[in-house]
């Protein structure tokens, strides 16, 4: 697609429910990142996918968080048993790579705002 | 580990004036990229300007320019002729060349006063 697409734009859920957030990267971008941004704060790295390599999950805050990506296509971030502290904007970004390494800047989606009541 | 610091949580500038946002970083590497991203209230982060560390010449993009001081590990953003649409959060970011991790600073909120 023309840009990084994320859905839903806004999600309100009750504490304890599971949520899925979706990211569709720019076509041809093999690298895909998920970040979390709490209100008025900076970006917290969550997870990184590069082609078919094993993802870098070092930023996931707990085992309630997981993400999947099939090949170089759509990625889904799943949060199980949501807590109020999970409320944030979840940003997805993609980037070109060459030989498995980043060659450019990040292109971001508009984010998914999650509110846990 | 690399870190990026933005010491100004908030800044304001009068419309048509010039403002400089500060960024410092810590790295032992010599080959890397630096970026400034803008995040308006609409939330979507967009790239403002990038700088390759091996280039001595400061990058410019229209009204936006940087002052890159490699030895001092400083990468400030100058916005000339500020416009109301420049109001946003600005994030400084670092990436090692051929590295996967982008390290972001905490951001500076810029207000533009009419």
């Amino acid at each position: 697609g023309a840009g990084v697409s994320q859905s839903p734009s806004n999600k309100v859920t009750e504490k304890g429910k599971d949520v899925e957030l979706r990211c569709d990267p720019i076509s041809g971008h093999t690298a895909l990142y998920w970040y979390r941004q709490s209100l008025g704060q900076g970006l917290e790295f969550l997870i990184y996918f590069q082609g078919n390599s094993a993802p870098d999950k070092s930023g996931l805050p707990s085992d309630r968080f997981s993400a999947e990506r099939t090949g170089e296509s759509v990625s889904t971030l799943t949060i199980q048993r949501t807590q109020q502290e999970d409320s944030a904007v979840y940003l997805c970004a993609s980037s070109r790579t060459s030989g498995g390494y980043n060659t450019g800047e990040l292109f971001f989606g508009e984010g998914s705002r999650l509110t846990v009541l | 580990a690399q870190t990026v610091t933005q010491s100004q949580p908030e800044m304001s500038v009068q419309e048509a004036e010039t403002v400089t946002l500060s960024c410092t970083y810590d790295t032992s590497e010599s080959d890397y990229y630096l970026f400034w991203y803008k995040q308006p209230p609409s939330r979507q982060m967009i790239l403002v300007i990038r700088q390759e560390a091996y280039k001595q010449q400061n990058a410019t993009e229209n009204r936006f320019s940087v002052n890159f001081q490699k030895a001092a590990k400083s990468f400030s953003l100058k916005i000339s002729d500020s416009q109301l649409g420049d109001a946003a959060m600005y994030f400084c970011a670092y990436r090692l060349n051929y590295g996967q991790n982008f390290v972001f600073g905490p951001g500076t909120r810029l207000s533009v006063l009419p």
Side-chain angles (χ1 to χ4, degrees):
Chain A
V4 178
S5 177
Q6 290 189 247
S7 61
S9 179
N10 288 284
K11 175 71 176 180
V12 179
T13 191
E14 293 180 346
K15 178 181 173 181
K17 300 286 189 182
D18 296 353
V19 296
E20 279 191 356
L21 307 177
R22 175 189 167 101
C23 173
D24 195 350
I26 292 173
S27 178
H29 283 193
T30 54
L32 186 147
Y33 299 75
W34 282 99
Y35 290 90
R36 180 168 69 176
Q37 186 177 29
S38 299
L39 185 62
Q41 302 300 309
L43 277 69
E44 175 188 3
F45 167 76
L46 296 178
I47 190 167
Y48 163 78
F49 294 91
Q50 162 52 27
N52 292 315
S53 301
D56 176 357
K57 304 179 181 180
S58 60
L60 294 178
S62 77
D63 59 6
R64 296 186 296 104
F65 288 73
S66 64
E68 293 184 349
R69 186 187 187 198
T70 304
E72 299 176 4
S73 62
V74 170
S75 175
T76 303
L77 177 68
T78 301
I79 309 173
Q80 296 179 309
R81 304 180 303 281
T82 52
Q83 304 294 313
Q84 288 182 330
E85 61 262 30
D86 298 335
S87 296
V89 175
Y90 290 82
L91 293 170
C92 177
S94 68
S95 178
R96 291 187 303 271
T97 61
S98 175
Y101 298 102
N102 266 301
T103 58
E105 67 269 23
L106 292 176
F107 293 81
F108 285 86
E110 294 188 355
S112 294
R113 181 181 299 280
L114 174 65
T115 303
V116 182
L117 301 176
Chain B
Q2 293 85 11
T3 58
V4 177
T5 302
Q6 294 177 250
S7 59
Q8 307 151 316
E10 295 185 0
M11 291 280 286
S12 62
V13 62
Q14 208 71 33
E15 196 174 5
E17 296 295 310
T18 295
V19 64
T20 299
L21 307 183
S22 300
C23 172
T24 58
Y25 55 95
D26 185 21
T27 184
S28 58
E29 304 291 339
S30 61
D31 192 9
Y32 51 85
Y33 288 82
L34 295 164
F35 307 86
W36 278 99
Y37 279 89
K38 170 185 177 181
Q39 186 180 39
S42 65
R43 282 200 323 236
Q44 186 163 23
M45 300 264 284
I46 55 175
L47 179 70
V48 175
I49 200 166
R50 60 183 277 176
Q51 173 83 41
E52 292 90 337
Y54 66 87
K55 290 186 177 179
Q56 292 185 331
Q57 186 172 6
N58 289 322
T60 63
E61 287 288 341
N62 300 314
R63 297 183 295 107
F64 298 87
S65 62
V66 299
N67 183 4
F68 173 48
Q69 302 289 328
K70 191 172 185 179
K73 298 178 184 176
S74 171
F75 182 61
S76 60
L77 174 69
K78 185 172 81 172
I79 306 174
S80 304
D81 186 25
S82 297
Q83 301 175 358
L84 295 178
D86 295 333
M89 282 287 286
Y90 286 82
F91 292 95
C92 179
Y94 162 102
R95 177 176 67 76
L96 187 65
N97 194 18
Y98 298 111
Q100 69 184 45
N101 291 330
F102 287 76
V103 181
F104 286 85
T108 295
R109 182 175 300 282
L110 177 67
S111 300
V112 180
L113 308 174

